[in-house]
Amino acid sequence: MAKKLPKTDIVLAGVGWTGGIIAAELTKKGYKVVGLERGKERKTEDYLMVHDELRYQQRNEMMQDLSKETLTVRHDRSKRALPYRQHGSFLIGDGVGGSGEHWNGLTYRFFPYDFEIYSKTVERYGKDKIPADMPLQDWGITYNELVPYFEKFEAMAGISGETNPHPEVPEVKYPTVPLKETPSMKMFKEASKKLGYHPYIAPAATLSESYTNPDGISRAACQYCGFCERFGCEYGAKASPVVTVLPVAKETGNFEVRTHCVVRKVLHTNGKATGVLYVDTRTGEEYIQEADVVVVSAYALNNIRILLNSQLGSPYNPESGTGVIGKNYAYQMTSAASTGFFKEKEFNLYAGTGSLAGVIDDFNGDNFDHTDLNFIHGGNIALGHYGKRPISNNSVPKGTPTWGKEFKDESIYWTNRSLSVGSQGSVMPNKENYIDLDPTYKDQFGDPLLRMTFNYKDNERNQQKYIRDITTKILEEMGADIINSPGDQEDWDTTKYQTTHNTGGVIMGADSKTSALNNYLQMWDCENVFVPGASAFPHNSGMNPTGTVGALAYRAAEGIEKYLKNGGSLV
Amino acid sequence: MSEQEKNAPYLDKRSSRRTFIKNSGLTVGGVVLGGALGSLLGKDSTTQTHETGVHSTATAVNFNQALMYFDKAQFDTIDAAAEQIFPKSEVGPGAKELLVTYYIDHQLAGSWGLNSKEYMSAPFYPAEASSLFGHQTHLNRQQIFNLGIEALNSEAAKQYKAKFSEITEEEQVSILQAFEEGEVTLNGAVTSTYFFALLKSATIEGAYADPLYGGNKDMAGWKMKNFPGHQMSYANIIEKDEFVKIEPTSLNSQHKH
Ligand SMILES: Cc1cc2nc3c(=O)[nH]c(=O)nc-3n(C[C@H](O)[C@H](O)[C@H](O)COP(=O)(O)OP(=O)(O)OC[C@H]3O[C@@H](n4cnc5c(N)ncnc54)[C@H](O)[C@@H]3O)c2cc1C
Ligand code: SF4
């Protein structure tokens, strides 16, 4: 029998970026918050030996232990799904701070277009532009309504950046100056300007200068150490929950984090949650933590899983298109990247930070005319300077063998002479891309694993073709001697890292029939459950999600307070 | 400042690790957070690191050169195969000199060899598994290497009547190519292509991982690639137009702080 614990105001399932933001905001207001985190405690000292590519990048030191819990994957629903036995395509965080500890820190705002994508597409191109199998929808909130929350997130993290010069993109004033510009970024900017595009330096959560945020948290400037994404920052220069929101919550005395505690279910009766059931994995004991509000903040994929295993909300059915939990799962596409080889120039590519990049948004969102194009949306195009480490970077011109003497000598020769112009392609929802529970495979407690049914559809394949020609063109303009351009978009490969930008599955919207959450991320079906995270996105945009995830988490925090004061559905 | 830092001419002396740490305030409402920086600061700055002579590479015995997993014959087979994947060339040492096979042996003996952070529950459907879905076999990496080594030697015996480590380099390469193409049958639930891919990635890792893992001897892998290993800061380099060559340092230097 699970042991019942005294009731608290708010319980969090997962203590990463979204859980941390909600903990800080509500403990400041005097509410008691209990954070349940399946992984371990984290502090900056843990990162003293962090410049270790093998341990952190190849062996995924900071990621979820897949022997305890994973998911199964397949390309379409006619097939059997097979377990994601080893990390590949995306990485799932684990431990206090979650993926917020080892992210890159590229911090964008989605475009006004994104939040009203359905209406704006119909308005500009007519209803026929949207394929029948694409359940595109507005988000139930506008960009302008979200601006104050974006500002809160950016001020808390100290985002360094310059405003995007593209005429279609709203101006943003960032709290700190942009990061330093490398020679390769200069080349990218000059080339794309010549081609008529609008380059700028990416907004970054790795600080360009020392900074004190509105909560009084001071952090040092980034050292461009080159071990950033997939690694923790030994300097606290990268904004992460452990160096920003969690200390604020702890200082109030109203926050308790219980580590090594896995939430299995949200408990509920008659459309109201009573608390959560969790296991302390050190003792093996089961507990029930009762609470007035349950926040499911376990990362997009785990959020879906907790809800499905709790039988909360109606599961999506791809046959009929009804139900909402698991609906509109989307991902991103990085296969439009081209690599350029420069004989005459050696760059200091070992240096860099996780979010150092020159970017253009000329082919992102609806910033370009799609009338004659066979796809919706697009992707940003960027040259990143993230720090090239030797095991994982061995670019060679096409036609070079993949091992042996020629490979060795060529990969060494080009190490500091090759640059990649990449793209982060949006993915639109499709009726056939969704998530449900796997009928066969189980986790350490015998609970069903998630089953992901996903592949790139025509919209994405057409977009990739279009964008890869532009990444190639930019490298030509930059003067590359040899260019490796990609072929067509292939089927989704679960073994190659693409992005950890999994979205959808518990989406927000204005209508309870087609969405799971209202615009405070409050469940339509269960008014005291809030589900922050990218699971709330009805589609995935062509840039990194966490700026938008953070803004929505601040919005949810406001909603939770309103709910605790007045009760009921907030919309 | 460590010896390695002192010898780094590119480093602005004002930004040495400790002064950097002193100048950086990681604080909550004025209270210094106990972070990595805090714990370093706490150290008495007059503490001396005593350097002894044992680090001289000319005379050093490398106590890493012993086997945790392979037997001698398995070691010789992998040593020969890894050298063909990453051979000695004009550019610098190959797998053998970099001690890549010791690296692979040590990795196999631990959690990587046992797939301990991976989902290994049944059922397995190897026949249905396209390579796009990753490994779908009940075998762990230790078992896959055992099968792979056995098959390398039986191919060598079949074609050239000798052990894999004893045939010519061209013969070794042609067997490895057949493995890569999936043309060899391993007597178990795994393809030769998969074994080859594992061997190849482990070889690259052994050449370039921090020497703490037993390969990348004397950081010679990094030196070939002009990779500086563990450094505290590139803030003074990041905007530089010319290539800055830096003598590499390993995590060993960080541990001595
Ligand atoms: C390598 C990498 C690079 C990235 N780079 C960027 C970037 O540059 N820009 C960007 O915008 N985004 C980036 N992201 C994505 C970003 O990290 C996430 O969007 C963000 O952290 C999501 O916040 P979250 O609170 O939803 O989840 P997380 O921050 O991951 O936190 C979830 C927490 O919940 C815990 N948890 C899960 N299940 C349970 C359970 N059952 N019980 C208890 N606890 C549980 C987890 O252990 C984890 O600590 C990156 C991610 C990765 C992995
Ligand atoms: S690159 Fe900058 S932010 Fe990233 S880990 Fe290094 S010092 Fe920290």
Side-chain angles (χ1 to χ4, degrees):
Chain A
M1 265 306 279
K3 189 175 161 199
K4 248 191 206 171
L5 300 170
K7 190 167 175 182
T8 180
D9 295 324
I10 297 144
V11 65
L12 309 172
V15 185
W17 258 137
T18 59
I21 287 168
I22 282 163
E25 290 306 286
L26 287 144
T27 53
K28 278 194 269 183
K29 299 269 163 65
Y31 295 102
K32 297 274 180 206
V33 178
V34 171
L36 300 171
E37 168 55 49
R38 68 176 172 194
K40 61 182 178 189
E41 183 59 49
R42 283 229 183 84
K43 29 190 197 332
T44 313
E45 282 108 305
D46 297 345
Y47 306 140
L48 269 178
M49 288 286 156
V50 84
H51 291 177
D52 184 339
E53 184 185 12
L54 186 74
R55 175 169 165 191
Y56 289 90
Q57 176 143 3
Q58 305 303 115
R59 303 282 183 262
N60 296 309
E61 166 85 6
M62 298 178 78
M63 311 304 166
Q64 174 170 319
D65 179 349
L66 297 183
S67 73
K68 307 265 189 310
E69 176 186 347
T70 184
L71 65 163
T72 66
V73 288
R74 60 179 178 175
H75 284 146
D76 65 75
R77 89 186 136 95
S78 70
K79 309 256 167 49
R80 188 204 318 272
L82 298 171
Y84 187 69
R85 297 188 180 273
Q86 177 186 357
H87 275 113
S89 178
F90 47 82
L91 304 166
I92 309 169
D94 188 78
V96 170
S99 314
E101 289 302 295
H102 51 70
W103 68 321
N104 287 53
L106 291 154
T107 312
Y108 298 95
R109 295 179 180 186
F110 282 11
F111 301 132
Y113 161 76
D114 280 306
F115 300 100
E116 296 169 272
I117 191 166
Y118 177 80
S119 312
K120 286 184 189 272
T121 303
V122 172
E123 189 185 305
R124 191 165 171 188
Y125 307 105
K127 260 200 160 103
D128 291 346
K129 187 78 183 170
I130 304 170
D133 58 357
M134 189 190 287
L136 209 61
Q137 62 187 68
D138 292 348
W139 290 36
I141 197 161
T142 63
Y143 174 83
N144 285 339
E145 287 170 304
L146 264 178
V147 165
Y149 307 100
F150 275 122
E151 285 171 351
K152 267 190 154 168
F153 184 75
E154 287 155 5
M156 176 275 291
I159 303 306
S160 303
E162 64 179 338
T163 199
N164 188 333
H166 196 283
E168 294 285 322
V169 181
E171 192 179 329
V172 180
K173 277 193 86 64
Y174 292 102
T176 50
V177 300
L179 290 168
K180 299 184 190 202
E181 205 173 276
T182 67
S184 64
M185 285 160 70
K186 282 207 181 94
M187 284 166 63
F188 171 82
K189 282 176 106 175
E190 276 159 24
S192 39
K193 256 194 207 141
K194 265 199 204 137
L195 292 165
Y197 312 148
H198 299 83
Y200 64 107
I201 301 178
T206 59
L207 282 178
S208 59
E209 55 187 325
S210 56
Y211 173 70
T212 303
N213 79 6
D215 291 316
I217 299 267
S218 296
R219 288 161 41 229
C222 169
Q223 297 302 304
Y224 303 89
C225 76
F227 285 84
C228 202
E229 88 274 64
R230 303 198 191 190
F231 304 80
C233 178
E234 63 183 313
Y235 298 104
K238 171 160 72 180
S240 83
V242 166
V243 297
T244 57
V245 286
L246 294 175
V248 171
K250 283 182 186 163
E251 280 251 311
T252 63
N254 293 326
F255 186 43
E256 188 196 340
V257 183
R258 292 182 207 143
T259 52
H260 305 280
C261 290
V262 181
V263 174
R264 289 179 60 190
K265 281 182 177 72
V266 178
L267 304 170
H268 54 100
T269 43
N270 304 325
K272 239 179 140 180
T274 51
V276 300
L277 173 74
Y278 75 91
V279 181
D280 180 333
T281 55
R282 285 164 308 182
T283 62
E285 280 169 291
E286 275 196 325
Y287 295 93
I288 290 170
Q289 176 63 58
E290 299 200 316
D292 287 329
V293 167
V294 173
V295 178
V296 183
S297 48
Y299 184 75
L301 294 170
N302 303 312
N303 290 351
I304 308 170
R305 180 156 186 265
I306 290 174
L307 294 181
L308 288 173
N309 275 330
S310 309
Q311 292 174 309
L312 202 52
S314 54
Y316 174 70
N317 178 342
E319 203 88 45
S320 59
T322 57
V324 290
I325 309 297
K327 181 186 160 170
N328 283 30
Y329 170 72
Y331 190 45
Q332 279 181 333
M333 209 174 25
T334 52
S335 52
S338 301
T339 305
F341 298 86
F342 297 78
K343 282 193 190 126
E344 303 302 328
K345 234 180 130 42
E346 253 188 299
F347 305 91
N348 295 308
L349 295 178
Y350 50 79
T353 171
S355 44
L356 185 59
V359 198
I360 57 166
D361 282 315
D362 295 89
F363 303 95
N364 201 359
D366 203 26
N367 298 339
F368 58 122
D369 185 11
H370 289 67
T371 310
D372 297 324
L373 300 177
N374 49 4
F375 63 92
I376 284 170
H377 216 296
N380 72 13
I381 291 176
L383 181 136
H385 205 111
Y386 306 144
K388 262 196 180 179
R389 293 169 293 276
I391 300 172
S392 39
N393 291 289
N394 289 288
S395 293
V396 286
K398 262 187 197 157
T400 312
T402 57
W403 53 279
K405 178 176 178 310
E406 197 183 335
F407 166 75
K408 177 195 165 192
D409 293 355
E410 292 280 306
S411 64
I412 289 170
Y413 177 77
W414 295 111
T415 291
N416 291 305
R417 293 181 174 90
S418 60
L419 301 174
S420 169
V421 172
S423 162
Q424 201 166 179
S426 62
V427 170
M428 294 303 102
N430 187 284
K431 252 184 97 229
E432 295 292 331
N433 285 340
Y434 69 102
I435 291 190
D436 64 354
L437 290 176
D438 191 273
T440 310
Y441 294 95
K442 307 269 190 285
D443 72 359
Q444 59 182 329
F445 305 115
D447 292 331
L449 295 183
L450 280 187
R451 174 169 67 178
M452 179 185 285
T453 306
F454 176 78
N455 207 349
Y456 295 111
K457 307 292 183 193
D458 287 346
N459 190 74
E460 286 71 57
R461 291 172 197 263
N462 295 337
Q463 183 204 122
Q464 186 264 358
K465 261 191 203 145
Y466 185 81
I467 302 236
R468 71 168 182 209
D469 292 342
I470 297 157
T471 60
T472 303
K473 199 154 88 180
I474 294 174
L475 279 165
E476 277 164 14
E477 188 64 43
M478 284 169 68
D481 297 295
I482 306 169
I483 298 173
N484 282 2
S485 302
D488 290 353
Q489 173 68 53
E490 296 180 359
D491 287 339
W492 175 47
D493 182 346
T494 73
T495 67
K496 269 201 265 174
Y497 187 73
Q498 288 140 74
T499 69
T500 307
H501 305 157
N502 314 82
T503 64
V506 194
I507 67 175
M508 60 191 291
D511 180 353
S512 62
K513 279 207 268 321
T514 53
S515 61
L517 311 173
N518 66 25
N519 66 28
Y520 285 98
L521 309 189
Q522 179 186 33
M523 277 190 91
W524 294 114
D525 288 359
C526 196
E527 63 188 35
N528 63 341
V529 174
F530 290 74
V531 191
S535 40
F537 296 2
H539 72 271
N540 204 352
S541 187
M543 62 195 107
N544 309 61
T546 309
T548 304
V549 166
L552 288 170
Y554 277 104
R555 168 87 181 166
E558 200 178 286
I560 293 167
E561 195 192 359
K562 275 193 184 164
Y563 173 81
L564 284 167
K565 284 197 174 126
N566 309 321
S569 183
L570 299 169
V571 171
Chain B
M1 216 187 286
S2 74
E3 280 306 309
Q4 286 175 331
E5 280 170 19
K6 264 190 227 151
N7 294 338
Y10 65 90
L11 247 188
D12 177 348
K13 298 288 188 246
R14 280 165 305 161
S15 72
S16 79
R17 176 167 291 269
R18 279 198 190 136
T19 33
F20 167 70
I21 287 156
K22 283 185 187 143
N23 295 339
S24 69
L26 182 63
T27 60
V28 183
V31 187
V32 174
L33 276 183
L37 313 174
S39 77
L40 276 173
L41 251 187
K43 267 197 183 174
D44 177 359
S45 58
T46 60
T47 307
Q48 295 278 324
T49 316
H50 295 283
E51 298 283 342
T52 59
V54 296
H55 297 292
S56 142
T57 49
T59 54
V61 176
N62 182 347
F63 299 105
N64 266 324
Q65 287 178 269
L67 299 179
M68 295 180 193
Y69 178 72
F70 288 142
D71 63 27
K72 176 76 171 72
Q74 287 181 313
F75 178 89
D76 291 344
T77 310
I78 293 298
D79 211 30
E83 181 69 17
Q84 294 318 320
I85 291 171
F86 198 84
K88 184 180 172 73
S89 67
E90 300 82 66
V91 177
K96 279 192 190 196
E97 266 176 72
L98 292 168
L99 306 185
V100 162
T101 311
Y102 289 101
Y103 162 85
I104 297 176
D105 171 75
H106 296 0
Q107 286 293 305
L108 276 174
S111 67
W112 184 75
L114 296 165
N115 300 34
S116 59
K117 268 185 82 178
E118 290 160 33
Y119 191 75
M120 295 297 285
S121 304
F124 293 89
Y125 296 99
E128 285 175 32
S130 107
S131 61
L132 299 183
F133 292 102
H135 72 86
Q136 301 292 334
T137 168
H138 66 287
L139 300 169
N140 64 32
R141 293 189 184 85
Q142 288 186 350
Q143 296 166 312
I144 294 171
F145 265 83
N146 289 350
L147 288 167
I149 291 167
E150 214 174 272
L152 284 171
N153 283 311
S154 62
E155 279 303 301
K158 208 160 66 192
Q159 294 182 38
Y160 309 107
K161 311 223 170 348
K163 289 184 192 158
F164 183 82
S165 58
E166 290 164 359
I167 58 182
T168 68
E169 299 202 347
E170 290 72 35
E171 290 163 351
Q172 288 172 345
V173 167
S174 100
I175 290 182
L176 288 169
Q177 276 166 347
F179 267 67
E180 187 182 25
E181 297 302 318
E183 288 162 7
V184 180
T185 306
L186 268 56
N187 195 18
V190 67
T191 61
S192 66
T193 308
Y194 189 70
F195 165 67
F196 180 82
L198 266 186
L199 175 62
K200 187 180 118 186
S201 64
T203 302
I204 304 283
E205 286 172 1
Y208 296 129
D210 192 286
L212 82 91
Y213 294 99
N216 189 10
K217 183 170 188 292
D218 298 333
M219 300 184 276
W222 289 351
K223 285 175 191 157
M224 281 188 280
K225 264 199 167 179
N226 277 328
F227 181 70
H230 159 78
Q231 306 285 334
M232 57 179 270
S233 173
Y234 296 121
N236 295 331
I237 286 172
I238 192 78
E239 291 169 303
K240 284 220 160 87
D241 226 347
E242 70 278 13
F243 187 73
V244 183
K245 201 169 156 168
I246 301 168
E247 203 44 40
T249 56
S250 67
L251 281 168
N252 174 262
S253 67
Q254 173 77 343
H255 191 49
K256 286 193 294 186
H257 269 284

